[in-house]
Amino acid sequence: MAFLAVAAIAAGCAPPGDAGSQAGLPTRGRQPLEAPPPAGTADGGTAGAATREPHARDLHVKEPQSMGPHTRDPHAKGPHAEGPHAKDAPPEKFRSAQAARAARVAAARRWRLAEVPLTPPPPPARKPAITTRAGFEVAGHEELGLPPVFTTVPTKQRVVFLTIDDGAEKDPAFLRMMSDLQVPYTAFLSDYLIKEDYGYFERMQANGVVLNNHTLHHPYLPALSYLRQKHEICGMQQVIEERYGKRPLLFRPPFGNYDRNTLRAAKRCGIRYVPLWNEEVFVDRWDYREWDRRIRPGDIVLSHFRGREDWKGTMPDMIRRFLNKVTAEGYAVARLEDYL
């Protein structure tokens, strides 16, 4: 009996190197990432704020290595605790979030960004009411129930929306960049420019981009009759539906020019929103609608599918300029359709 008691006591004292004594030590290749502090919202709060990733100049975060099912958490309290908070979340979620952040850091380095783009907040459960901007109305706008024309989405979240027009440049590097960085954007397409390569925009759509209406031939619409405007808009609706499977709800008039007939025709063709823009970004500069030349929460930013034939650089150069500015000013890029 006495011998058995001594043996039991000895068995309960795990020697150095036993798995049970290692629960509080880091596992090789698995350094925990701290959650980055959220950026503030426009009204000073943090709810719904964009999440700031590590700065690109400090991109020392390594993509985590694969972890087996019995890998211990560095901060586990007991010999069998696993995951960052074993009682709250399974380790799979921790590994997924860690890997996703590491991928964003690596993508920002690969595309030579000054900072890692901010992660947008979740889309609002209750969509903001979209109304026509003052001064952008046409006669009978509300009475006829015409689509609202707007340049900014009413929100306090520090987000902006990137929209890209026409479809002239079909740069594969641009598709890779946007896919790598997971930056949302909205395309407004004209058939005469995209018909030489419908497949390029198929690949774009496969990455989650919504393809919208920018007319068949990009004319100055106010110079056309109601019927000719209707042909331009409804014709492009049909092209997008036949080629890409979904009839658009968004329409942007070429050059941002429209009249009452434009909006009547757009409504007749099934259009619900007419987003314009508050800023425009090029490879070498930004243009602003507002006198103070400032970005505001909810602003819609315009750019174009253009390359070196028209610009002093490429589409990735334009995206780099766009992301560097909005990120430095504390804005994330959100998906326009999620707010409509």
Side-chain angles (χ1 to χ4, degrees):
M1 300 266 311
F3 174 80
L4 292 175
V6 171
I9 294 171
C13 300
D18 180 270
S21 67
Q22 301 297 310
L25 299 179
T27 303
R28 184 185 299 272
R30 183 183 178 216
Q31 296 300 321
L33 296 179
E34 295 180 1
T41 57
D43 58 350
T46 57
T51 302
R52 181 171 290 279
E53 301 281 357
H55 196 284
R57 287 188 289 270
D58 302 320
L59 300 184
H60 57 274
V61 180
K62 297 181 180 179
E63 190 165 353
Q65 297 177 7
S66 176
M67 294 176 290
H70 301 296
T71 304
R72 309 251 184 235
D73 180 74
H75 305 294
K77 299 279 181 79
H80 301 293
E82 297 181 23
H85 300 288
K87 294 181 179 179
D88 300 328
E92 288 78 7
K93 290 186 179 180
F94 175 73
R95 293 199 297 268
S96 176
Q98 189 181 41
R101 183 160 298 129
R104 285 174 67 84
V105 170
R109 183 190 294 119
R110 186 160 52 250
W111 292 102
R112 306 193 314 277
L113 301 183
E115 295 182 79
V116 181
L118 302 181
T119 302
R126 185 176 182 180
K127 309 301 182 188
I130 305 297
T131 58
T132 295
R133 176 171 171 162
F136 287 61
E137 308 93 339
V138 298
H141 206 133
E142 289 190 11
E143 295 81 355
L144 295 173
L146 300 180
V149 182
F150 55 102
T151 62
T152 299
V153 172
T155 179
K156 292 184 178 180
Q157 294 178 337
R158 291 186 70 82
V159 296
V160 295
F161 306 100
L162 176 62
T163 61
I164 309 180
D165 281 9
D166 64 45
E169 180 73 3
K170 302 163 187 69
D171 185 351
F174 166 76
L175 293 184
R176 292 195 302 272
M177 181 181 194
M178 301 305 273
S179 178
D180 279 357
L181 295 170
Q182 294 294 294
V183 174
Y185 60 102
T186 295
F188 290 89
L189 305 178
S190 291
D191 187 52
Y192 86 106
L193 292 172
I194 70 170
K195 64 183 179 181
E196 65 190 37
D197 189 358
Y198 287 123
Y200 179 85
F201 301 95
E202 245 176 43
R203 297 191 292 276
M204 186 179 295
Q205 184 186 43
N207 286 330
V209 178
V210 179
L211 308 180
N212 288 294
N213 191 324
H214 200 44
T215 70
L216 289 171
H217 303 98
H218 205 275
Y220 176 73
L221 290 174
L224 306 181
S225 67
Y226 168 78
L227 288 179
R228 290 183 64 191
Q229 292 195 50
K230 182 171 172 285
H231 169 72
E232 283 287 336
I233 301 169
C234 286
M236 193 61 199
Q237 291 287 87
Q238 185 173 349
V239 167
I240 294 178
E241 183 176 26
E242 290 177 354
R243 291 286 175 177
Y244 305 108
K246 191 171 182 180
R247 205 168 178 85
L249 298 178
L250 278 62
F251 161 68
R252 174 173 285 161
F255 318 107
N257 296 122
Y258 61 94
D259 60 11
R260 187 168 179 265
N261 281 338
T262 309
L263 300 185
R264 287 178 57 226
K267 180 182 178 181
R268 182 69 181 83
C269 299
I271 295 298
R272 292 182 58 188
Y273 300 99
V274 180
L276 297 185
W277 62 91
N278 226 26
E279 294 87 26
E280 182 171 4
V281 60
F282 300 85
V283 165
D284 56 348
R285 71 183 192 277
W286 280 69
D287 286 347
Y288 301 83
R289 190 181 296 274
E290 310 297 344
W291 64 272
D292 58 1
R293 300 174 63 82
R294 286 180 53 241
I295 297 175
R296 293 168 168 78
D299 271 0
I300 299 170
V301 181
L302 164 68
S303 193
H304 289 82
F305 290 96
R306 291 287 187 270
R308 292 190 181 278
E309 291 184 2
D310 303 288
W311 282 349
K312 300 175 182 178
T314 64
M315 289 198 71
D317 293 332
M318 177 274 292
I319 293 298
R320 192 174 298 112
R321 187 177 192 93
F322 166 75
L323 288 175
N324 284 344
K325 180 177 179 62
V326 299
T327 305
E329 295 191 15
Y331 286 92
V333 184
R335 186 173 178 268
L336 178 59
E337 288 80 3
D338 288 341
Y339 286 71
L340 302 179

